[in-house]
Amino acid sequence: MNTVRGARERARIEVTAAIKDEARRRLAAEGAAKLSLRAVARELGMVSSALYRYFPSRDDLLTALIIDAYDSLGAAAEEADARALAAGAAPRTRWIAVCESVRTWALGHPHEYALVYGSPVPGYSAPADTIGPASRVGNVLIGIVRAAYAGRGLALPPLPPALAPEADRMTADFAEGLPSAVVPALVAAWAQLAGLVSFELFGQFKGVVEERSAFFAHAAGQLAHGVGLPAV
């Protein structure tokens, strides 16, 4: 019985992977808004009713793809930071390494990046299951800033008094242990990182920025400066 169950579980894993692979191909060809379970089933030679046993709706399939994309991107960021940390890199160098890993992943997975950071998919609302995977890159960056704060300290950016209550709330929600003055800057840096990558990926830098790797490294350093990371 265990052998039969194991074979069924392996078969389910293989079919699930095939469904997601075909869905990613269709994302690349047509975009997320046109993703159809029937079309995926047709390409795989499955009847729609069989595919529904794996993903009851298009939204369930989209959620699985979104979680996979966030997890893959998060793993790339975590691995980049681990390598930099093992090499004895300073927090600023770790920060830039993580930012560059996000860019590298996005350039290698443009359609998956567009799925999670591009235009919202009409009619789709991401469930709470996506929050943890979506937080992985941000948590790496927060961890780098927290390490710098515990070490040499931060050159804290000024915080307008009107923003202080919101900064306190954000700190309590996801950046406990950091001074609240740095948390809005962290959120802004995360948004600017996504903007830098999106501008390059979606063609807005065409005719504007030619040396894009050097430009990005410089911009990532500026983001590090904005959250108070020391230069060395």
Side-chain angles (χ1 to χ4, degrees), residues 3-232:
T3 300
V4 173
R5 184 182 299 115
R8 288 175 177 170
E9 290 174 354
R10 287 194 298 273
R12 184 173 184 85
I13 290 170
E14 290 171 1
V15 173
T16 300
I19 291 169
K20 291 196 287 189
D21 286 344
E22 178 57 34
R24 292 187 188 99
R25 284 191 286 271
R26 301 200 71 81
L27 285 180
E30 300 179 342
K34 293 185 178 180
L35 183 63
S36 161
L37 289 183
R38 290 183 181 276
V40 171
R42 183 173 60 249
E43 290 299 320
L44 292 174
M46 299 174 64
V47 296
S48 298
S49 58
L51 190 147
Y52 291 142
R53 291 200 292 269
Y54 295 87
F55 296 100
S57 71
R58 181 210 68 162
D59 285 5
D60 291 309
L61 179 53
L62 271 176
T63 296
L65 297 177
I66 288 168
I67 289 174
D68 283 355
Y70 276 134
D71 277 335
S72 179
L73 175 57
E78 290 160 3
E79 290 163 9
D81 187 41
R83 288 192 299 270
L85 187 59
R92 179 185 176 90
T93 302
R94 290 170 58 191
W95 174 283
I96 294 172
V98 169
C99 290
E100 289 183 331
S101 76
V102 171
R103 174 179 180 258
T104 298
W105 186 91
L107 293 177
H109 304 81
H111 304 293
E112 291 171 74
Y113 184 88
L115 176 63
V116 295
Y117 285 113
S119 299
V121 180
Y124 174 79
S125 179
D129 291 355
T130 62
I131 295 174
S135 303
R136 289 176 67 172
V137 172
N139 286 338
V140 174
L141 297 175
I142 290 170
I144 293 170
V145 174
R146 187 176 281 119
Y149 179 61
R152 294 188 57 191
L154 301 171
L156 294 177
L159 184 67
L163 189 56
E166 177 69 355
D168 290 341
R169 182 198 62 78
M170 290 191 291
T171 302
D173 282 352
F174 56 81
E176 190 173 350
L178 284 175
S180 59
V182 76
V183 178
L186 262 169
V187 174
W190 170 70
Q192 289 171 72
L193 172 59
L196 285 165
V197 173
S198 296
F199 260 52
E200 179 172 3
L201 196 63
F202 302 143
Q204 280 90 347
F205 281 153
K206 185 175 182 179
V208 179
V209 179
E210 300 299 334
E211 298 294 336
R212 292 176 186 170
S213 294
F215 174 83
F216 185 88
H218 171 73
Q222 293 299 107
L223 296 181
H225 175 76
V227 299
L229 294 178
V232 293

